Amino acid sequence: MNIFRLLGDLSHLIAIIILLHKIWHSRSCAGISGKSQVLFALVYTSRYLDLITTYVSLYNTLMKIFFLASSYATIYLIYVKFRATYDKNHDTFRIEFLILPSVLLALLINHQFSFLEVLWTFSIYLESVAILPQLFMVSKTGEAESITSHYFEYHYDLIAIVAGVVQTVLYCDFFYLYITKVLKGKKLQLPA
Amino acid sequence: ESGTDLHDEL
């Protein structure tokens, strides 16, 4: 464990807490893409299956459980508890277009062709694009709630590096949309 | 090193 990873983990933790807190207190999940949250739950589920097979440390186990539990809790809040406030008409990204290529790529490009390794690789690929439904939603509505952040560590791993670069580009796009649409309040409007 | 060897990473 180094300071960068710890800060990354804690930022992630805080981002999730802010998101859950905001949904809970506003009693609304307007502006949040349920589809992105489903993809993140899929990312954590496919990556943290090693919870069953390998014990690393109490910190590691608790963080993995927290990320899993909080992503399923977010899905519950969006699709069950505050379903009425979920903006599903604007959350129309076809997630199969992200899941299927990620599965295919994980089957083709991986370090080792084994069940857990392919799932781990799938989770890395999927994480890099899981924000796309949220990005799509912001570009349509010009609204955004909290953004969850994700990170990669400086481990020389080509799969993680390429996925990280793709993810960074997408997040830059998100930042651009946030500035131009959300902060400046410019909404695209169709002529009457 | 494979991805699943990195058990301590989140």
Side-chain angles (χ1 to χ4, degrees):
Chain A
M1 175 61 69
N2 64 47
I3 185 71
F4 297 106
R5 275 188 39 201
L6 185 66
L7 288 175
D9 291 354
L10 293 181
S11 307
H12 195 176
L13 194 77
I14 292 166
I16 291 171
I17 292 170
I18 290 172
L19 181 67
L20 285 172
H21 180 266
K22 190 155 188 174
I23 294 175
W24 190 257
H25 278 265
S26 63
R27 321 289 295 169
S28 165
C29 52
I32 299 168
S33 165
K35 291 189 173 182
S36 273
Q37 297 303 323
V38 166
L39 292 180
F40 284 128
L42 205 55
V43 165
Y44 297 135
T45 309
S46 51
R47 190 176 308 165
Y48 295 157
L49 286 175
D50 64 354
L51 263 177
I52 308 159
T53 60
T54 315
Y55 178 78
V56 182
S57 64
L58 186 63
Y59 170 81
N60 186 270
T61 300
L62 289 179
M63 290 295 264
K64 284 176 176 171
I65 290 173
F66 177 82
F67 288 158
L68 277 169
S70 61
S71 67
Y72 283 100
T74 310
I75 290 175
Y76 167 76
L77 291 180
I78 294 173
Y79 287 100
V80 183
K81 182 110 179 138
F82 301 125
R83 186 194 186 93
T85 63
Y86 169 49
D87 196 5
K88 68 168 181 288
N89 294 329
H90 286 124
D91 194 14
T92 50
F93 197 94
R94 301 277 299 272
I95 55 173
E96 57 270 36
F97 291 154
L98 300 178
I99 297 174
L100 292 177
S102 298
V103 169
L104 206 66
L105 209 59
L107 287 169
L108 292 173
I109 305 172
N110 52 59
H111 291 300
Q112 182 192 321
F113 196 76
S114 70
F115 182 68
L116 282 182
E117 186 67 26
V118 169
L119 277 178
W120 178 88
T121 312
F122 164 72
S123 82
I124 297 289
Y125 293 146
L126 189 63
E127 184 181 3
S128 68
V129 292
I131 199 67
L132 270 174
Q134 181 70 70
L135 196 59
F136 186 63
M137 198 170 170
V138 172
S139 73
K140 284 180 90 175
T141 64
E143 289 169 5
E145 291 290 321
S146 304
I147 305 158
T148 56
S149 76
H150 294 266
Y151 66 93
F152 285 107
E153 138 109 345
Y154 280 109
H155 169 74
Y156 191 79
D157 182 324
L158 216 55
I159 288 174
I161 289 172
V162 173
V165 168
V166 170
Q167 188 172 353
T168 305
V169 170
L170 292 177
Y171 275 74
C172 285
D173 192 18
F174 193 95
F175 188 62
Y176 170 78
L177 285 169
Y178 192 79
I179 299 282
T180 57
K181 297 217 172 196
V182 182
L183 292 186
K184 293 188 178 168
K186 285 184 194 161
K187 285 195 180 188
L188 287 173
Q189 279 184 339
L190 294 171
Chain B
E1 194 172 30
S2 74
T4 40
D5 289 334
L6 308 170
H7 292 292
D8 68 320
E9 295 195 4
L10 298 167

